[in-house]
């Protein structure tokens, strides 16, 4: 009856809401919101409320498992580590460090991510380190780094209540970042103007003052037309541009013809474009939020640059209630990037290519560091297919479900000599592993997460890890030791954080006690700003002057055609997260899965003879799956949409892996598909059934 | 007439009760003005509860067996909710197994809390005699009034050396409670909103509009002290037993009523939002339970990310009230 | 005023099922089976009235409501018709003779048997809606309290019809009209082509009498439209009865899942106050009555 309460942070999305975990005899009995949390203020979304079910011991992996021809067998940590150590050593001896790599997790703590990249660089001597930001926000990092010098949200959640206009661009915050989405609703109801730009009629679009239902992939065409309108009418903030930006002339030249064909390309009339341009440029404070509807295109990086151009010409960066604010998906995707779990940067975005930075880390870690740039996660998959990449350590991710082009991904993983997966439960990726390690959940470890507004927050352990499960940095350290290195031998999470903060300028004034004192600290937090920074770029940009960089519309890689007449986009459902391995353990969230997973406009459904909830087959150039249709007005004709959380009907069977040339970000937001009705009463076959019937790749 | 005693410190009552009862104190500080974020309903209607076990041969009911416990310092809104749930769960064996073990010690509120409006729905701020076994009231001059309002309460404090207090004290208590009622902010939106809902005057489109804002988070139903819906599931135990568990559910979930055939009578979010508010302010519920389902704790206002907590909703629908009901 | 702290009088409910054995089953149309169960303790259940239902637990899968097609006999043997639609029914379909299940009941209010005496009764069922009526039809035909009785059974297509042998049996005693929404000439057999609503004028003409009481069971749209059909033709809303389906987790008015939305804000739990309702008590839910 008497329970203990541990305050911690929600493990699901980048909002980073404050949670109280109530435990009784080492059992999690309930979860409640923290009343005084600076972001969530006593609220949670359905995922947060259900997080107690997610760490439930049912279905948890409790011991290391080793693959045998007859399936997995339980093994001791010693045996598992020996197996991993020997296999790694063999690959390293035969093919060198470029043949091994680590994919870390945007769900894991900063400490875990720091440890992962250190294991890769200082022990394995490779820069083959990546995490899933690739499939959400690498264009953000690449784009904003060029234009502003920093790839994070410029402002804070609290600014939502201090602005006059909110523009939500290609994002669905009430589903993906529910509590922030709620704040936007609240501000809007209290009088803040709201403009939504999205091909789908999202919840916010239904409430907004303006909804620009643009055609998928036409972001740059629209944004350039907005900029042209602003410049033509002299609505820009000339003083700001003068003082803080460079490159206006080439930008003005580049957008001069932006009206040509824009109504056709975007599906938005000039009058509406003008109205939005006026509203945004004339607002005394306007905030842009954007999401995967900007980044998940082959033109992802350019899309981000275009948005940045728009904000800069209007002087809407650097003050409270303004800014350009990427909504990052996973709870710690910001932190995983900050920690340098990217092939080209060390912690704090210090470039691997920069000799001084390399020296700094080499000196601190007392070891030589690799020069050769690393592979991205998709690069590792590609290299696996041709046999040049052979051993992968992966944790907290289920790329078989979440990465584009599932069949290629499976094939790539099946080619590896060694696949190590650390997980809570048996995911599809874990099923392909040679060694599976039992990982600890967020409730069973301590460390920090960095939310989307750069707030570093303390995650506290409420429960002991079940069975033989271990925290991520702890088992990463064990692998290092197996390879004869004591690089990762920290005494506790706080020691990891101290080492990291000393090497990461934007975290340099942070410590656990200081974080606790402030309910989280927003970076940069250094000697100059010891209590953190709510608004970035107030006085100057890290690169001095912000850059206006002309970008031109690019067509989507695969448009609809006669054979594949519909465009498929992906979306998320607010009650599920990632591959669903945690959220689907809740009986409530599991029940919430809609009876149909392919959202389709009534007109298209009528043309194809598809009834509401009727079974359908969906085919693209890369794959085929079966599911049920949800006929919905929320999609425009010609566009269909699928959530990607469900292994029964994974949308990534279908999606295109054409990539953004800069970041290799795959174009998840648009690919061509054909949809056909199945005979009435037919139960859609799951992916496992289809694979079994068609002799799919199984190891 | 209840008897009333002077209590010098809460610790004395604490330690006396602790001889028989396990002490559970939901408030951080007895006497704080806001109710705790989590209502005490879970002490009786558990968030997850095993109903029975099937061992392959028989179904065995698994009733909880809590030790005697006292909920020490519960505010009037929550006590009113417990009285409401006592009726609703009158025949529920699991609820009653827990409830029979409990002693309720109420605490009068003398200052309004931020979102609460107990006075507007006849649920406080002073604890009603029928809702608790003992009532505490902080005296401005120091010490506490301790009122005994049930046999169980009288039994519980037997053996404590306490001085009886007279009617003037009780009258002073009433005055302080009246002052507290007067200090609540304007509640006309609540009265108008209640009239609009209970007379069915809120049009469908208004509910649909509110429905767009509902994220189906379940926060309101989880925190609302008079919400009682539950779902069930079967769980396999290690030894091969199967247990049926019930767990708090929420009528705001899209799938709450969805049937196996996929037919869903409340597919529209607006219908579900209407259901919630009708349950709290429907006259027909009031007929069955002797009062509205809402006890004015204000938790839904605090926790709803969709801005459809009680004050927000009532402000939106107040205009549908009939004019004479101002 | 809040009432007393606890209702002293109330007798506690039990949510724990009684054990029953799955005896056998026969297929009945596509994805539908008629199951026979035997209660381990034949006295575990009061005698159900036609239209009442029971909760069936398949251990490990959960619990769902079903109607009796025959009520427990002296040995505790009873039948239920089950269509495979969700997880509980799928699990039941995996069970074999001899497996143990759990049963609770009977629950709810049955059909108004007593009000049918001496009346001209028309029963209209759609799809799976025949199951909750089967037991009633059997009893009516056995006891013959009515003045006239006729049955209409609508199905979307031939393969979705159920209870073939019962219908054949009934057809020998009373007029029975099968209707099919879609069918080829060959599939049609003796059935009429169309929905019960489309064919109702025709059927009434063929019957040659006007019903005093109408009992409906099937998809909600079908029941609503038919009820309106009869009301528009001057039948009293009080002469029309229907049976409502809802998701259920408790069957005793506690879990809240089976609520019925009423525009007049009265609150009903279908498990307790239904599943059978007289149309006038439901009418505000669905469609306004013609003035
Ligand atoms: S909004 Fe994000 S962080 Fe907040 S409760 Fe929901 S999933 Fe967790
Ligand atoms: S409806 Fe809101 S204010 Fe009323 S009792 Fe429930 S949570 Fe409290
Ligand atoms: S708290 Fe608000 S958003 Fe959440 S379920 Fe309740 S009404 Fe919906
Ligand atoms: S089935 Fe639980 S209330 Fe009706």
């Amino acid at each position: 009856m008497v329970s203990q309460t541990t305050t911690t942070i929600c493990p699901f999305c980048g909002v980073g809401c404050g949670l109280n975990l109530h435990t009784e005899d080492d059992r999690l009995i309930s979860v409640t919101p923290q009343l005084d949390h600076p972001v969530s203020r006593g609220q949670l979304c359905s995922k947060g409320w259900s997080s107690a079910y997610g760490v439930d011991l049912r279905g948890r992996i409790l011991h290391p498992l080793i693959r045998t021809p007859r399936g997995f067998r339980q093994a001791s940590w010693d045996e598992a580590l020996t197996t991993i150590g020997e296999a790694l050593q063999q690959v390293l001896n035969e093919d060198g460090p470029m043949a091994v790599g680590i994919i870390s997790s945007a769900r894991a703590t900063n400490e875990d991510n720091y440890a992962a990249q250190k294991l890769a660089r200082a022990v394995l001597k490779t820069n083959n380190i990546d995490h899933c930001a690739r499939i959400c926000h690498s264009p953000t990092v690449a784009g904003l780094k060029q234009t502003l010098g920093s790839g994070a949200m410029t402002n804070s959640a609290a600014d939502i209540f201090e602005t006059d206009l909110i523009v939500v661009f290609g994002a669905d915050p009430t589903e993906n970042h529910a509590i922030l989405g709620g704040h936007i609703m609240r501000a809007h109801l209290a009088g803040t103007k709201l403009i939504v730009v999205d091909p789908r009629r999202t919840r916010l679009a239904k409430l907004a003052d303006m909804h620009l239902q643009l055609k998928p992939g036409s972001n740059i065409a629209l944004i350039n037309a907005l900029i042209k309108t602003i410049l033509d009418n002299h609505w820009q903030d000339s003083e700001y541009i003068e003082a803080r930006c460079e490159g206006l002339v080439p930008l003005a030249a580049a957008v001069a013809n932006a009206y040509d064909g824009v109504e056709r390309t975007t599906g938005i009339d000039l009058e509406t474009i003008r109205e939005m341009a006026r509203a945004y440029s004339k607002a005394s404070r306007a905030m842009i939020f954007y999401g995967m509807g900007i980044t998940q295109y082959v033109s992802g990086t350019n899309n981000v640059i275009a948005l940045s151009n728009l904000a800069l010409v209007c002087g809407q960066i650097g003050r409270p209630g303004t800014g350009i604010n990427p909504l990052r998906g996973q709870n710690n995707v910001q932190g995983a990037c900050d920690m340098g779990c990217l092939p080209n940067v060390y912690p704090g975005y210090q470039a691997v290519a920069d000799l001084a930075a390399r020296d700094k880390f080499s000196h601190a870690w007392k070891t030589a560091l690799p020069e050769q740039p690393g592979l991205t996660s998709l690069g590792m998959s590609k290299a696996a297919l041709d046999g040049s990449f052979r051993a992968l350590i992966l944790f907290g991710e289920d790329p078989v479900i979440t990465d584009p082009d599932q069949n290629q991904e499976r094939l790539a993983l099946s080619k590896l000599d060694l696949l190590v997966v650390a997980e809570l439960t048996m995911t599809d990726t874990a099923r392909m592993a040679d060694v599976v390690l039992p990982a600890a959940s967020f409730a069973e470890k301590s460390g920090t997460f960095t939310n989307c507004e750069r707030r570093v927050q303390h995650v506290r352990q409420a429960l002991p890890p079940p069975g033989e499960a271990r925290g991520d940095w702890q088992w990463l350290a064990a692998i290092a030791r197996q390879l004869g290195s004591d690089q990762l031998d920290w005494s506790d999470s706080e020691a990891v954080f101290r080492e990291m903060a000393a090497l990461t300028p934007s975290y340099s004034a942070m410590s656990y006690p200081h974080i606790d004192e402030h309910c989280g600290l927003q970076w940069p937090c250094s000697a100059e700003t010891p209590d953190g920074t709510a608004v970035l770029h107030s006085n100057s940009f890290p690169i001095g002057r912000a850059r206006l960089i002309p970008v031109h519309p690019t067509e989507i890689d695969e448009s609809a055609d006669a054979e594949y007449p519909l465009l498929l986009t992906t979306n998320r459902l607010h009650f599920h997260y990632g591959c669903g391995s945690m959220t689907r353990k809740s009986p409530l969230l599991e029940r919430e899965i809609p009876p149909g997973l392919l959202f389709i406009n009534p007109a298209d459904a009528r043309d194809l003879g598809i009834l509401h909830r009727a079974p359908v087959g969906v085919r693209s150039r890369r794959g085929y799956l079966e599911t049920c249709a949800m006929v919905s007005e929320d999609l425009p004709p010609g566009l269909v949409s699928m959530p990607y959380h469900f292994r029964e009907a994974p949308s990534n069977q279908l999606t295109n892996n054409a990539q953004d040339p800069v970041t290799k970000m795959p174009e998840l937001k648009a690919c061509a598909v054909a949809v056909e009705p199945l005979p009435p009463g037919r139960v859609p076959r799951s992916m496992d059934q289809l694979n079994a019937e068609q002799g799919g790749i199984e190891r | 007439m209840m008897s009333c005693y002077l209590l010098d410190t809460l610790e004395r009552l604490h330690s006396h009760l602790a001889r028989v009862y396990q002490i559970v104190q939901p408030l951080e500080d007895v006497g704080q003005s806001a109710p705790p974020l989590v209502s005490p309903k879970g002490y009786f209607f558990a968030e997850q509860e095993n109903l029975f076990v099937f061992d392959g041969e028989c179904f065995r009911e698994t009733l909880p067996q809590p030790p005697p416990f006292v909920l020490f310092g519960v505010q009037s809104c929550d006590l009113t909710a417990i009285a409401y749930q006592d009726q609703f769960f009158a025949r529920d064996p699991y609820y009653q197994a827990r409830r029979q073990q409990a002693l309720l010690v109420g605490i009068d509120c003398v200052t309004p809390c931020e979102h609460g409006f107990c006075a507007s729905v006849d649920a406080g701020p002073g604890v009603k005699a029928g809702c608790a076994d003992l009532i505490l009231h902080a005296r401005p001059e120091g010490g506490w009034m301790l009122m005994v309002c049930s046999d169980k309460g009288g039994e519980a404090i037997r053996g404590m050396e306490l001085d009886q207090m007279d009617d003037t004290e009780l009258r002073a208590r009433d005055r302080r409670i009246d002052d507290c009622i007067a200090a609540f902010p304007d509640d006309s939106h609540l009265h108008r909103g209640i009239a609009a809902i209970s007379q069915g005057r809120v049009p469908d489109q208004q509910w649909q509009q509110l429905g767009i804002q509902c994220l189906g988070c379940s926060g309101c139903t989880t925190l609302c002290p008079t919400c009682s819906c539950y779902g069930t599931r079967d769980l396999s135990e290690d030894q091969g037993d199967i247990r049926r568990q019930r767990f708090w559910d929420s009528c705001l979930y899209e799938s709450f009523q969805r049937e196996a055939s996929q037919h869903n009578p409340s597919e529209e979010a607006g219908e579900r939002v209407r259901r919630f508010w009708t349950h709290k302010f429907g006259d027909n519920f009031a007929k069955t339970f002797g009062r509205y389902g809402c006890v004015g704790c204000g938790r839904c206002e605090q926790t709803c990310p969709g801005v459809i907590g009680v004050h927000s909703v009532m402000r939106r629908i107040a205009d549908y009230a009939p004019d004479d009901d101002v | 005023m809040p009432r007393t702290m606890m209702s002293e009088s109330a007798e506690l409910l039990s949510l724990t099922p009684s054990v029953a054995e799955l005896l056998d089953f026969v297929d009945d149309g596509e994805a539908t089976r008629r199951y026979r169960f035997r209660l381990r303790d034949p006295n575990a259940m009061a005698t159900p009235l036609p239209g009442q239902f029971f909760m069936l637990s398949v251990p490990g899968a959960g619990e769902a409501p079903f109607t009796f097609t025959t009520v427990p006999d002296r040995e505790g043997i009873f039948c239920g018709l089950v269509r495979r639609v969700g997880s509980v029914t799928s699990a039941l379909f995996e069970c074999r003779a001899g497996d143990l299940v759990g049963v609770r009941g009977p629950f709810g209010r049955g059909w108004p048997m007593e009000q049918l005496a001496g009346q001209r009764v028309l029963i209209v069922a759609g799809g799976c809606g025949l199951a909750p009526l089967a037991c009633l039809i059997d009893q009516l035909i056995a006891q013959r309290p009515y003045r006239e009785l006729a049955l209409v059974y609508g199905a979307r297509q031939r393969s979705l019809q159920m209870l073939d042998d019962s219908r054949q049996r009934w057809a020998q005693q009373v007029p029975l009209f099968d209707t099919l929404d879609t069918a080829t000439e060959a599939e049609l057999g003796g059935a009429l082509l169309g929905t019960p609503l489309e064919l109702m004028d025709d059927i009434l003409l063929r019957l040659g009498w006007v019903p005093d009481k109408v009992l409906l069971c099937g998809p909600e749209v079908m029941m609503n439209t038919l009820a309106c059909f009869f009301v528009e033709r001057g039948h009293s809303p009080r002469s029309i009865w229907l049976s409502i389906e809802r998701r259920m987790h408790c069957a005793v008015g506690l879990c809240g899942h089976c609520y019925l939305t009423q525009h007049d804000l009265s609150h009903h739990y279908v498990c307790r106050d239904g599943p059978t309702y007289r149309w006038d008590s439901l009418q505000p839910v669905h469609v306004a009555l013609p003035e």
Side-chain angles (χ1 to χ4, degrees), chain A residues 10-17 43-49 176-180:
Chain A
C10 175
F12 287 116
C13 85
V15 179
C17 297
Q43 303 166 3
L44 294 174
C45 77
S46 58
K47 294 181 287 283
W49 277 109
N176 306 336
H177 302 84
I179 295 305
L180 275 195

Side-chain angles (χ1 to χ4, degrees), chain B residues 230, chain C residues 53 55 247-259 269-272:
Chain B
Y230 67 80
Chain C
F53 66 95
M55 295 295 282
R247 183 184 185 108
M248 293 184 183
H249 283 276
C250 74
V252 292
L254 287 173
C255 76
H257 282 266
C258 66
Y259 74 82
Y269 289 125
V270 170
C271 66
R272 190 187 59 196

Side-chain angles (χ1 to χ4, degrees), chain A residues 2 30 32-33 35 41-43 49 53 58 182 185-186 189 203 574 588 591-593 595 612-613, chain B residues 22 37-38 47-48 212-215 217 219 233 235 247 249 253-255 258 262 267 302-305:
Chain A
V2 182
S30 71
T32 54
L35 257 185
R41 311 165 183 210
Q43 303 166 3
W49 277 109
Y53 290 109
R58 314 167 54 73
M185 282 200 277
R186 188 176 300 269
L189 288 166
R203 193 189 298 270
H574 68 278
L588 296 163
R591 191 184 66 194
E592 280 288 280
I593 296 177
H612 190 42
R613 302 188 190 120
Chain B
Q22 192 175 331
L37 182 67
V38 184
E47 188 161 346
Q48 295 184 16
I212 296 174
Q213 288 167 236
C214 174
L215 305 180
C217 72
R233 62 170 174 172
L235 295 169
F247 48 84
D249 205 334
Y253 284 124
E254 188 270 337
S255 57
R258 200 200 297 142
Q262 306 299 353
E267 195 163 10
Q302 174 74 53
T303 209
C304 177

Side-chain angles (χ1 to χ4, degrees), chain B residues 92-107:
Chain B
D92 183 285
Y94 308 89
Y95 182 98
Q96 291 301 337
R98 294 174 185 277
R99 182 67 180 87
Q100 302 297 347
Q101 295 296 84
L103 181 83
L104 300 179
V105 179
I107 169 85

Side-chain angles (χ1 to χ4, degrees), chain A residues 389-412:
Chain A
F389 182 83
R390 295 174 52 199
L392 176 64
I393 299 170
L394 181 152
F395 60 100
E397 294 294 339
D398 194 5
V400 168
I401 292 292
T402 55
D403 271 16
D405 205 351
Q406 254 196 344
N407 294 337
Q408 281 296 309
E409 182 67 31
R410 262 180 206 275
L411 190 62

Side-chain angles (χ1 to χ4, degrees), chain B residues 117 220 223-226 276-277 280 293-300 310:
Chain B
F117 53 96
C220 53
L223 295 185
C224 180
T226 58
F276 180 88
W277 292 108
K280 301 305 156 195
C294 175
V295 296
C297 70
R299 291 183 175 98
C300 51
V310 62

Side-chain angles (χ1 to χ4, degrees), chain A residues 137-178:
Chain A
H137 271 290
S138 47
T140 288
V141 176
L144 294 185
K145 190 88 188 162
Q146 285 178 61
T147 60
L148 311 178
S150 162
M153 188 156 154
T154 59
N155 289 55
S156 304
D159 288 37
I160 292 172
F161 300 106
E162 280 183 49
T163 187
D164 305 304
L165 168 67
I166 297 171
V167 177
V168 176
F169 218 115
D172 199 357
T174 57
E175 312 310 295
N176 306 336
H177 302 84

